[in-house]
Structures are given as structure tokens and as C-alpha cells.
Amino acid sequence: MPVEFLGIAATHNGSETSPRSGAAFDKEYTLKLARAHEDHGWDRVLFAYGSGSPDPAPAAAYIASRLDRLQILLAHRPNVSYPTFAAKTFATLDRISDGRLTVHFITGGSDHEQRREGDTLTKDERYSRTREYIEIVKRIWTSHEPFDHEGEHYRFHDFVSDVFPVQQPRPDVSFGGSSAAAYAAGGAEADIYALWGEPLEKTAEQIEAVKAAARAAGRTTPPRIQVAFRPIIAPTEELAWEKAHRTVDAIKARKEKGEPAVVRHHRRGDPENTGSQRLISIAQSGERYDRALWTPTAAATGGAGNSNALVGTPETVAQALLDYYDLGVDIISARGYDLLGDAIDFGRHVIPLVREEVAKRDAEGAARGPGTLVEAV
């Protein structure tokens, strides 16, 4: 199966290791970073969402109108708009991008972060709302006749949109989470299920949980699997590990100063979301796993988001990614700590190695014939 690569569409040059040099939305940098991804073999970029961050939808439209090939993954929280409005926004963006949109629905893992924008639902209530929201958006994208909706969270009457996506029957839906409630919602509704990078054994367990949830929802085809990492690469193993330790030192130094880019996610104690709790637990159990997984970057940020690293030469990191591919992962999400430089380096030195090996394995599998293929975990 083909492999795809997802990068980050940051709107400024700041990261966990260095403060931004300009405004929260730096138009020139946003385009420069996106163009670097398009020019260096990446398939799509994520426009992330934060309560106080620049709105990702117009930022995505800005990039889509200036680049021809790069696909868009737009993060969206259901609490910030009504699904009728959101469905039209997404369809319009798919039109602007000529069919390059995927939407990533975020349920929200922190009560504090959700309440910043007036969302007071409990975690389980948020998952219920997200599932209903996705169902409505899908119907709006595909229904040309007016319909009513009377649900637990949303009610409207006689709605029909006049703008439809380029993609038929609709754009893909992406979803993430590591709790039972997340598996149930995403297993039922997602085309792509997003996981944070964990050791191979635990990733295999999560993939099976997603598949089981999809089967329980009556689906015959489970979601595709995406896994996210923070690659730290260098020409030699020694240089890569020196770079890794410098990276953690920089994260810790910023955290000790109380700089918001590092501490904002968990400013009120331990993380509430299962994914971050899992990352912290894994880090407490060990620093190194499998071929190249390294956990101190996650520990330094308190398990905030995509934070486990893959450390080594491009060849080592490529082989580590292929280990996940062998589990059934076909979308790799990656971003470094020097957003622009690492996007270029990863695109030049890692992506071609992975694509070449995947093509070789696919060709060998085709030569063996369908009867000899081994189903991925």
C-alpha cells in the first residue's frame, strides 16, 4: 500500500525549543514553510487548532490558493461552530483547493482548554457531540435535498447547502484519541485514525482497538492509520543523539522560564487526556524503545501532543518508520523542532528512503500474488 507523509502548516516559526520571531500569523513564513513541504515530497500539512491561535481555515485557504499540489488537513473543534456552518466552510475550502481537503475533528482532551471558548461539556459528552457533528457534516456534504435533524446536541430544520465539495462523495474525515470513547467514535466515523507515536507493541494494540471499534460499528473497512513522531536526524548516530539531548535541554530551559509555548497545554496539573497520560507512562517506563523511539522529548513537555521522537541517521529513522508501516500504518505525521529546516531535511533524506522501500515491498507482494500476502496487524 502507498505511504503518505503529513507535515505541519505552522503560522510562525516558534516551537518548543525556540520562541517565535514575529506575529502569531506570519503570512510570509506560513507560505514559505508550506512551499518547503510541497517542494520536498510531503503529501499534506496539518493546520492545527488552539483556542487562542490564528484560525486555521483562512490560513489553509491562503495556502491552497497559492500552492498547486500540497494537500490540506484542517483541524476543527465542534464546539466552535454549528455543523451547518462548518460543512459549508469545509466545502468552500475544498473548492478553493480543487479537492485537496481532509478535515480532522478534535473532541478536546482538556477541560481547561475547552472552557476557554465556552465549552463546558464533560469528556464523554464531547465525544457524543463530535460523533453527531461528523454525521451531520457528512450528510450535508452529500445531500442535495433539504432535511431536518433532531439530535442530542443539534436541531435544525429544512437545511440544504448550495456548496458541495469537489471530492466525491465527500472529503475524508480524520479523528484521533486513545480512550475507549475515542476508539468508539473514530472507529465508527473516521476515514483516517490518528495516533501519537508509541512503541511498536503498544501501537499494534491501538490499531487493533480501532479495528475492533470499526467492526462493532458495522464497518467492513476500518480507518486508515496515521502515526505521529518528532524526528531528530543527523548524518551520524553520534551527531543525532547529541542533537536529541540539545533539543531536550532547550525544551526544559523554556519550560523552567514558564514560556507559554511549552507549558500552555497542561498548566493546571497532570494531563486529562488518555493520549498524553499514555506518553508519560511510556516515558516513565523507559527512554528508548525499538529501533529509534526516544521518550524524553515527551517527558519534557508533560506528554503534550505529538512529542515522542525518532532519533538517528536518515537510514535509521526510515527503517523505524518502515517498522510502523509493517504494522499497517500508511500515513506518517512528522515535524521537527526547527520547523522549516527539519521539513526540508526530512523531505530530502528520509521520505525518499521510505517511499523506495515501500515501492519495493509492494512490487514483491504483487509478484508473489494475492494468495501469499500476509495481512497487516
Side-chain angles (χ1 to χ4, degrees), residues 72-288:
I72 293 163
L73 178 60
L74 178 70
H76 180 76
R77 282 186 187 162
N79 63 291
V80 299
S81 69
Y82 216 71
T84 50
F85 175 84
K88 294 184 296 180
T89 300
F90 303 147
T92 303
L93 183 52
D94 199 52
R95 287 278 159 188
I96 293 170
S97 66
D98 295 319
R100 287 179 280 152
L101 175 70
T102 298
V103 183
H104 181 67
F105 289 91
I106 303 173
T107 299
S110 164
D111 289 345
H112 176 70
E113 171 70 3
Q114 295 301 121
R115 287 170 182 164
R116 283 171 163 165
E117 295 186 285
D119 185 9
T120 59
L121 296 187
T122 65
K123 181 178 178 181
D124 286 344
E125 289 171 337
R126 292 199 296 266
Y127 275 112
S128 172
R129 177 183 60 192
T130 299
R131 188 165 178 174
E132 183 179 343
Y133 196 100
I134 294 172
E135 291 170 352
I136 293 169
V137 168
K138 287 180 178 178
R139 186 171 181 185
I140 292 171
W141 281 342
T142 56
S143 297
H144 291 261
E145 298 295 331
F147 68 94
D148 300 340
H149 180 82
E150 293 281 349
E152 180 182 358
H153 301 281
Y154 302 102
R155 296 172 180 83
F156 55 85
H157 303 281
D158 199 40
F159 181 83
V160 63
S161 178
D162 194 34
V163 56
F164 292 90
V166 171
Q167 298 177 78
Q168 293 298 314
R170 59 172 177 78
D172 280 345
V173 165
S174 173
F175 189 91
S178 297
S179 66
Y183 297 145
E189 298 296 338
D191 303 294
I192 298 167
Y193 200 99
L195 301 170
W196 289 333
E198 295 187 3
L200 290 165
E201 181 180 2
K202 291 186 177 296
T203 299
E205 292 170 355
Q206 286 198 288
I207 292 173
E208 184 50 45
V210 172
K211 289 183 175 181
R215 289 192 297 269
R219 296 178 61 176
T220 56
T221 302
R224 299 170 63 196
I225 300 296
Q226 171 186 306
V227 177
F229 302 98
R230 307 300 293 270
I232 300 175
I233 61 172
T236 68
E237 295 292 326
E238 182 180 6
L239 289 173
W241 284 104
E242 290 177 0
K243 183 178 177 181
H245 288 288
R246 288 198 306 272
T247 298
V248 168
D249 288 344
I251 294 171
K252 290 179 177 178
R254 295 198 68 201
K255 189 174 182 180
E256 288 172 1
K257 293 178 182 178
E259 295 186 26
V262 181
V263 303
R264 69 173 181 265
H265 293 288
H266 304 314
R267 57 187 296 182
R268 292 192 174 183
D270 294 334
E272 300 167 16
N273 61 307
T274 304
S276 292
Q277 293 169 1
R278 288 174 65 100
L279 294 187
I280 291 172
S281 175
I282 291 166
Q284 290 172 342
S285 297
E287 289 193 356
R288 296 180 66 170

Side-chain angles (χ1 to χ4, degrees), residues 17 153 169 240 252 301 355 371:
T17 59
H153 301 281
K252 290 179 177 178
T301 60
R355 290 199 194 279

